[in-house]
Amino acid sequence: MTSVRTYSDLDVAVRSDTSDVGEGPVFDPRTGRLVWVDIYGCKVYEDDLSSGRQTVTEVGMMVGAVAPRADHDGFVAAVSDGFGFIVDGELKMVDPVLPEPNLRMNDGKVDSRGRFWAGSNDMKFAPDQGRLHRWDGESPSVVEVGGLVLPNGLGWNADDTVMYLADSYANLLYRADFYSEQGTLGPLDVLAETEGPGVPDGLAVDVDGCFWVAMFGGREVRRYDPAGRVVGVVPVPAHQPSSCVFGPDGRLYITSARNGLSAEELARYPLSGSVFVVETGTTGVPVQPFRA
C-alpha cells in the first residue's frame, strides 16, 4: 500500500480577492517575478515577491497562459482566438487558430526546445472539442491531439521523454512518450482516473519523477508518482486550486479561483483567488522560456 504524505507548511504568497480564475503560473527568469493570469478577468499579473510590487496588464480577451520569451521582451500568450505576443502591454495576434466564438485557449507551457504547447476547449466544455496545440512562433500552430474535453495542466519529466496532461472534465491524467527533437507525441495513455473531490487542473513536474496536480473544487494539490498513484497531498485554504509551479527557491506556488463560488463559499474560503506557497522537499523540472 502506497503511503500518502501531507504537506502542511503552506503560506500565502500573493493575497488577492479580485482575480476571478487565477491560472498558468510561471517564473520569469529575466526578472525573477512570478507571472500568472486571470483567465476570465483577461489580465496578466507580474509579482515581485521580495518587494510585494505587482504589475497588471489588461489583455482585452480571455488569456489561458503566458510564457516569457527567451530573446525578446514581453510574453508569448495563448488567448481566446489563438496565439500571439504581449509586448509593452499590448496584445499582437499572430496565429488566430480559434476564430469560432465557442472555443478558447486554456493552459499552456513551453517545452525543452522552446515551443509553446496549449490546450483549447469549447466554452461549454462539450466532449471531443478539446485539442492540444503546439506553436513555434513562426509557422502556423499544429494540433497534436484532438478528441479531448478540457485539456489543462501539462509538463515533461526530467528525462524529457514523457509528457503528462490533465483532461479536467474527463477526470483523466494522461502520459505520452515525448520526442523532443521533433516536438511530437506518442499515443496518449490513461495514467490515472482521478476521484473527487474536484477535477484535475494545472500541474507541475518535479525532479524526482512525480507530478503535482491542482484539484479544482477539491481544496488540495495532489502529488502523483509515475505509476499514477497518489503519494502526497497539499491541503489548500481555497475551494478551487487551479494550477501550480515550482519557484527558483524550490517551493511550490499554487494559484486559485473565485469564479462560480457562492457568497457563503467565499466567506468560508476568503483567500480564494490568491496564490499560495508550500515547502515540498523537492524541486521542479525547469520550465523553459519561449525561444522563437
Side-chain angles (χ1 to χ4, degrees):
M1 182 177 179
T2 304
S3 61
V4 178
R5 176 180 174 183
T6 298
Y7 298 84
S8 56
D9 186 16
L10 184 140
D11 201 355
V12 178
V14 181
R15 188 179 298 270
S16 175
D17 59 5
T18 57
S19 65
D20 199 24
V21 182
E23 258 283 10
V26 63
F27 275 86
D28 188 340
R30 303 166 302 182
T31 63
R33 296 173 184 168
L34 171 65
V35 182
W36 52 290
V37 307
D38 180 355
I39 295 179
Y40 292 162
C42 309
K43 298 181 179 71
V44 177
Y45 293 89
E46 298 176 64
D47 283 286
D48 185 325
L49 299 179
S50 60
S51 69
R53 294 176 182 171
Q54 183 179 76
T55 301
V56 183
T57 300
E58 299 270 357
V59 178
M61 67 174 66
M62 284 187 287
V63 52
V66 298
R69 302 171 72 187
D71 301 314
H72 301 273
D73 294 334
F75 302 93
V76 63
V79 295
S80 291
D81 293 351
F83 295 103
F85 297 110
I86 299 172
V87 182
D88 296 329
E90 298 290 332
L91 171 64
K92 176 185 177 182
M93 286 300 304
V94 180
D95 185 26
V97 69
L98 297 177
E100 304 93 337
N102 64 307
L103 300 179
R104 70 168 177 89
M105 283 292 179
N106 195 42
D107 202 1
K109 198 166 290 180
V110 177
D111 70 18
S112 61
R113 304 300 177 95
R115 297 166 293 229
F116 195 37
W117 296 69
S120 65
N121 61 274
D122 179 84
M123 291 290 291
K124 295 184 178 179
F125 310 117
D128 300 322
Q129 296 301 303
R131 303 167 186 166
L132 181 63
H133 306 250
R134 172 177 51 82
W135 190 48
D136 63 12
E138 298 174 356
S139 58
S141 58
V142 175
V143 175
E144 283 291 333
V145 181
L148 303 168
V149 184
L150 179 56
N152 228 315
L154 67 160
W156 296 265
N157 68 351
D159 293 335
D160 208 23
T161 57
V162 173
M163 174 190 273
Y164 296 107
L165 175 69
D167 190 345
S168 296
Y169 288 135
N171 290 292
L172 294 175
L173 297 173
Y174 291 104
R175 71 165 307 282
D177 291 335
F178 178 64
Y179 306 100
S180 60
E181 185 173 348
Q182 300 89 344
T184 56
L185 300 175
L188 290 187
D189 296 322
V190 175
L191 184 62
E193 183 171 355
T194 62
E195 297 180 357
V199 299
D201 203 328
L203 64 81
V205 186
D206 67 37
V207 295
D208 297 318
C210 297
F211 58 103
W212 303 69
V213 182
M215 297 300 293
F216 192 90
R219 303 179 299 279
E220 66 184 24
V221 173
R222 297 178 187 170
R223 187 189 192 198
Y224 286 84
D225 70 11
R229 298 169 297 194
V230 178
V231 295
V233 171
V234 182
V236 179
H239 189 63
Q240 299 175 148
S242 55
S243 190
C244 52
V245 65
F246 282 96
D249 58 4
R251 298 189 293 173
L252 186 71
Y253 291 78
I254 303 164
T255 53
S256 64
R258 299 172 64 83
N259 181 265
L261 295 181
S262 66
E264 180 182 355
E265 288 170 324
L266 286 172
R268 186 176 180 184
Y269 302 103
L271 293 173
S272 294
S274 299
V275 182
F276 306 93
V277 60
V278 65
E279 297 280 359
T280 64
T282 185
T283 57
V285 174
V287 178
Q288 300 300 318
F290 187 67
R291 297 192 181 281

